[in-house]
Amino acid sequence: KILVLVDQKKGGKSLDADQVASVNSLPFVEANLEQLKEFLPQFKSISTEHEKARKKAARREEAKRLDSEHKRAKGVLSTLHYLSLLTLDLKESLLTDSTVLH
């Protein structure tokens, strides 16, 4: 839009105060655009690094959760194993005791 105003000014059309201010700000706007173009690769790099860090943290949390579930399952299986051994011992004890009583 500023470029249209610049063309109108060059064509001899009179501009109001706001339009003149816009035309006069063109070098500043162009300089800002150039700076933004220079920063864009840096922003993309930061964004990529942030995404990698987020994915790494998610993988770490998933590994932690799986490890916790593994430990819990291992504990349950160990408990069941010991209970089954205890049950066998109790069965043998009961069988031995019941033959003694008869």
Side-chain angles (χ1 to χ4, degrees):
K1 192 170 183 177
I2 294 175
L3 295 176
V4 171
L5 293 174
V6 169
D7 289 340
Q8 289 175 354
K9 184 178 178 183
K10 286 180 183 177
K13 183 178 178 187
S14 65
L15 304 175
D16 64 27
D18 288 341
Q19 291 172 328
V20 170
S22 293
V23 168
N24 291 338
S25 70
L26 182 61
F28 178 73
V29 170
E30 288 175 335
N32 282 343
L33 284 174
E34 284 303 313
Q35 279 185 326
L36 290 175
K37 286 179 184 177
E38 291 173 11
F39 289 141
L40 187 60
Q42 293 173 3
F43 288 140
K44 286 181 180 179
S45 174
I46 290 169
S47 176
T48 302
E49 288 175 23
H50 175 71
E51 187 64 23
K52 285 180 184 177
R54 188 188 63 76
K55 286 180 181 179
K56 187 176 180 180
R59 281 193 305 268
R60 191 178 312 118
E61 287 299 317
E62 179 67 12
K64 217 186 236 187
R65 186 184 63 77
L66 288 174
D67 185 51
S68 175
E69 287 180 10
H70 176 75
K71 286 179 181 177
R72 185 175 83 44
K74 188 176 177 181
V76 168
L77 290 174
S78 177
T79 301
L80 289 174
H81 173 71
Y82 288 119
L83 285 174
S84 71
L85 292 178
L86 179 64
T87 304
L88 289 174
D89 289 344
L90 282 177
K91 283 180 186 177
E92 290 175 8
S93 174
L94 289 174
L95 287 174
T96 306
D97 290 341
S98 66
T99 55
V100 171
L101 292 175
H102 290 183

